[in-house]
Amino acid sequence: MSWNAYTENLIGTGKIDKAALYSRAGDSLWAESGSFQLQPKEITEIATGFDDASGLQSHGLHAQGQKYFLLRNDERSIYGKHEAEGLICVRTKQAILIAHYPAGVQPGEATTIVEKLADYLIGVGY
């Protein structure tokens, strides 16, 4: 299975409209679907934010030029919200999953989908 299949599967749920898979360090894009590619500064902010949330707390979370209000941050997950849309970032052993859900989707539904994929990747060593 190619890495793109993972991002396409997220979009196929109907709860996610854009998704990307980056290396854990944020220095390499592995897959993207829905034309979802972050600027180098944006992915660096996210990758760094898992271990030190101070930058995200003071400046917000950014993806494709959009600022998101930081809702949650820990060593595994970062959640952001902008109006009725949201961003879910989950770090695994070797990757960072980033998914965007559109207005009309319940945040909990989208979060569960992304977190379950992260659990699967962790289970298979990624």
Side-chain angles (χ1 to χ4, degrees):
M1 185 181 230
S2 77
W3 290 116
N4 273 24
Y6 293 108
T7 56
E8 292 294 331
N9 284 342
L10 286 173
I11 291 175
T13 65
K15 305 295 181 187
I16 303 294
D17 63 350
K18 299 184 267 190
L21 188 61
Y22 283 85
S23 66
R24 184 179 168 109
D27 57 1
S28 174
L29 175 65
W30 292 358
E32 59 93 16
S33 297
S35 300
F36 194 54
Q37 192 168 353
L38 305 184
Q39 295 298 316
K41 181 180 179 185
E42 294 172 338
I43 186 59
T44 299
E45 283 177 347
I46 292 169
T48 304
F50 286 103
D51 296 316
D52 178 8
S54 61
L56 297 176
Q57 291 167 342
S58 59
H59 302 294
L61 176 62
H62 297 86
Q64 292 189 309
Q66 181 61 59
K67 182 178 179 179
Y68 294 81
F69 177 74
L70 183 66
L71 296 175
R72 173 187 171 166
N73 173 258
D74 61 35
E75 62 200 28
R76 175 186 159 111
S77 304
I78 297 172
Y79 302 157
K81 187 122 172 115
H82 172 73
E83 296 177 0
E85 303 175 3
L87 199 64
I88 304 160
C89 310
V90 184
R91 184 169 70 171
T92 68
K93 294 176 185 176
Q94 298 183 38
I96 300 172
L97 273 166
I98 303 172
H100 176 272
Y101 61 89
V105 172
Q106 292 296 319
E109 291 177 312
T111 300
T112 298
I113 291 165
V114 179
E115 292 280 357
K116 283 184 180 180
L117 177 55
D119 288 341
Y120 170 78
L121 291 173
I122 290 167
V124 296
Y126 284 98

